[in-house]
Amino acid sequence: MLETRFCDLELRNPTRLCAGIMGVNAGQLIRVAREGAGAVTMKSIGPREREGHKNPTVIEWEHGILNAVGLPTPGYKNCDEEFEELKELKKLGVPLIASIYGTRAEEFIEVAGYVAEKGPDAIELDISCPNTEWHDLQFAQDAEISGKIVGGVKGVCGKIPVIAKLSPAAASPAEVGKACEEAGADALCAANTMPGMLINVDARKPILAFRKGGISGPALKPINLKITYDLYEKVQIPIIGEGGITNGTDALEYVMAGATLCGIGSAVWKGGTGIFRTVCAEMEFWMKENGYSKLEQLRGIAHEK
Ligand SMILES: Cc1cc2nc3c(=O)[nH]c(=O)nc-3n(C[C@H](O)[C@H](O)[C@H](O)COP(=O)(O)O)c2cc1C
């Protein structure tokens, strides 16, 4: 009932583990795959070793999570072993999405060239992280730069599908998504975290050491849901909807807005890996109750007037 085709990949269900959540080592990703995720995404891999920001980097608040982890990475040259271990995912039939970043287009292309040789099932471009020193260069705020990165990366990825991860902070994420599609993107992710901050009044200081961060979890859902909805009207390529999915109803909302896959991140962080099975069971339950047998019957249905 939940089987999903995404960029020629066959998934047992439409859920995917978002980038940067539990993907710190291969063992964690394999566990998430065993626990029911339809696909898993690695922590974003960068051009060179980077420690990330000082603690505190992640805090939970009543409407979600605020993080400024700061893209820690061993650098792509030190990821061979991880990719080797992740071959286990093939046996489980769970697609592996590699996530990469750079500080400029040339670095994206350099990292993508290496990662493509390792044979992941798709490569996602984190052009939208709000928590870096170069954050005012958030590529996904600019359609032209985003298209340039996508076009360059496509040139070194062969047949591996390339996903552009958009930012809710762009003036028009749908315009940026369209530019990425025109540059050759095979899919879009709607979307990354929204820039934000929280202050500890007793300390009279921002709570995160990096001061500002990215908002994820329930507070993000209506924002990224609208981006998914807008994109569905503008592009032909599949969309990964994510931001604040905590149950089957949230996931169905994204499907009805037009998503093919539903990313789950903060809910895994908060509640553990059982969330994938729970979300799928709740989706199936609702579908059976309402007389649907396939997700395609629901995809984009909220656009009907
Ligand atoms: C602690 C944390 C770390 C994250 N790290 C990354 C990352 O390395 N790369 C990336 O593209 N997105 C990263 N994200 C964003 C998530 O992949 C996801 O797009 C976002 O959190 C929205 O989904 P959610 O509300 O289900 O968490 C991170 C999010 C969190 C909470």
Side-chain angles (χ1 to χ4, degrees), residues 10 20 27 38 92 98 115 119 124 171-172 204 279 287:
E10 302 292 345
L92 299 173
V115 168
E124 181 171 82
S172 172
R204 300 160 183 78
V279 165
M287 287 170 70

Side-chain angles (χ1 to χ4, degrees), residues 59-98:
I59 58 146
E60 288 183 21
W61 58 300
E62 61 266 48
H63 306 297
I65 285 179
L66 180 71
N67 97 83
V69 175
L71 296 174
T73 177
Y76 72 87
K77 287 182 182 146
N78 297 311
C79 290
D80 286 6
E81 213 173 292
E82 194 181 352
F83 276 107
E84 199 50 44
E85 281 178 55
L86 286 169
K87 285 185 178 156
E88 177 80 18
L89 290 171
K90 291 257 181 263
K91 289 186 212 150
L92 299 173
V94 174
L96 173 68
I97 304 172

Side-chain angles (χ1 to χ4, degrees), residues 196-211:
M197 74 184 298
L198 290 166
I199 290 173
N200 177 335
V201 291
D202 294 321
R204 300 160 183 78
K205 282 206 295 212
I207 297 178
L208 294 179
F210 190 65
R211 298 182 163 251

Side-chain angles (χ1 to χ4, degrees), residues 16 18-21 42-44 57-58 65-67 69 71-72 99 101 124-126 128-129 131 165 189 191-193 214-218 220 224 242-245 263-267 269:
R16 75 114 171 202
C18 298
I21 315 276
M42 297 168 78
K43 173 102 199 121
S44 300
T57 54
V58 183
I65 285 179
L66 180 71
N67 97 83
V69 175
L71 296 174
S99 166
Y101 72 89
E124 181 171 82
L125 310 181
D126 183 3
S128 45
C129 179
N131 319 318
K165 186 165 181 176
C189 169
N192 214 317
T193 55
I215 300 165
S216 60
L220 189 60
N224 286 5
E242 67 190 36
I245 296 179
I264 308 181
S266 298
W269 182 280

